[in-house]
Amino acid sequence: MKRHIFSTILILLLISVFLANVLDWFGGEDNLGEGVNISFETNGSKILEAGDEAPNFTLQTLSGETFELFENRDKPLLLNFWASWCPPCKAEMPHMQSVYAKYSDQVEIVAVNLTNQDNGVEAVKSFQEEYGLTFPIPLDQKGEVGRLYSILTIPTSYFINTDGTIYQKYIGPMNEETILSIVEEME
């Protein structure tokens, strides 16, 4: 009986510490909720918000090419961060591929694999083949781009305007309808 009480108290204490850290991380209870613009610093860099300039980066793609984010940008961009083991990422990838196949003349899709948090390049290749992905997949093998974009959870996507500014950040899996509605708002 004492062991059960002790275990319960320990679990409640751990949950309290976790919740206190989460609330502190997001700046307190007043900043939680839908549509909140969170503006704080992490690892010395500002969390990116709508209207901010999206940071440029260069990575090697899964196909071995060099990819630079802002090279030849002439249409809206969906910049997605993901990993092959992530169930919500698996759910959204067919929708992203469908949008890319049908509307690549209207929107560019780039899916940055957080390779440093994934199961290796071979897992990413298998994922690409299994899902028939044809959009660029840059490999963030050191986690630098994920940190640059302050990726805390995946999937996370940034919709970027043609002028290089962030239109919207979207956390969680998206379906085709969601992607297209955001892209239409950008135009």
Side-chain angles (χ1 to χ4, degrees):
M1 181 70 166
K2 289 181 181 181
R3 182 177 281 173
H4 178 68
I5 292 172
F6 177 75
S7 298
T8 303
I9 291 171
L10 182 61
I11 289 171
L12 290 173
L13 179 63
L14 290 172
I15 290 171
S16 298
V17 169
F18 172 78
L19 290 175
N21 283 320
V22 167
L23 288 174
D24 183 54
W25 177 257
F26 285 105
E29 291 179 27
D30 294 340
N31 289 337
L32 296 178
E34 188 172 308
V36 172
N37 269 333
I38 299 169
S39 180
F40 57 93
E41 305 265 331
T42 181
N43 296 331
S45 62
K46 182 179 177 289
I47 294 291
L48 300 171
E49 301 173 345
D52 289 343
E53 186 173 330
N56 196 15
F57 62 85
T58 302
L59 291 173
Q60 290 296 110
T61 65
L62 189 57
S63 62
E65 299 170 1
T66 300
F67 174 85
E68 183 178 348
L69 182 64
F70 289 128
E71 187 174 310
N72 302 321
R73 285 290 158 244
D74 60 351
K75 52 190 162 187
L77 170 69
L78 164 55
L79 177 63
N80 177 265
F81 291 88
W82 67 285
S84 65
W85 52 263
C86 163
C89 301
K90 291 177 182 182
E92 102 177 324
M93 282 297 175
H95 297 283
M96 288 174 46
Q97 178 58 42
S98 178
V99 169
Y100 188 72
K102 295 176 189 174
Y103 304 101
S104 63
D105 60 327
Q106 298 171 35
V107 63
E108 181 66 35
I109 294 179
V110 175
V112 176
N113 176 264
L114 299 173
T115 315
N116 68 316
Q117 299 176 22
D118 211 329
N119 298 321
V121 175
E122 288 305 315
V124 179
K125 285 181 183 178
S126 294
F127 189 96
Q128 178 194 33
E129 291 170 5
E130 179 181 346
Y131 286 84
L133 305 178
T134 58
F135 43 78
I137 301 177
L139 302 173
D140 188 9
Q141 297 198 43
K142 295 181 181 177
E144 294 170 351
V145 176
R147 281 189 296 280
L148 184 64
Y149 278 81
S150 303
I151 303 303
L152 302 174
T153 185
I154 54 175
T156 294
S157 297
Y158 284 89
F159 289 85
I160 301 174
N161 295 309
T162 56
D163 66 0
T165 59
I166 295 171
Y167 176 77
Q168 181 177 336
K169 179 178 180 180
Y170 192 97
I171 299 174
M174 298 179 290
N175 60 25
E176 188 172 340
E177 181 181 323
T178 300
I179 296 168
L180 291 175
S181 68
I182 294 171
V183 170
E184 287 175 8
E185 290 172 7
M186 295 173 73
E187 298 179 322

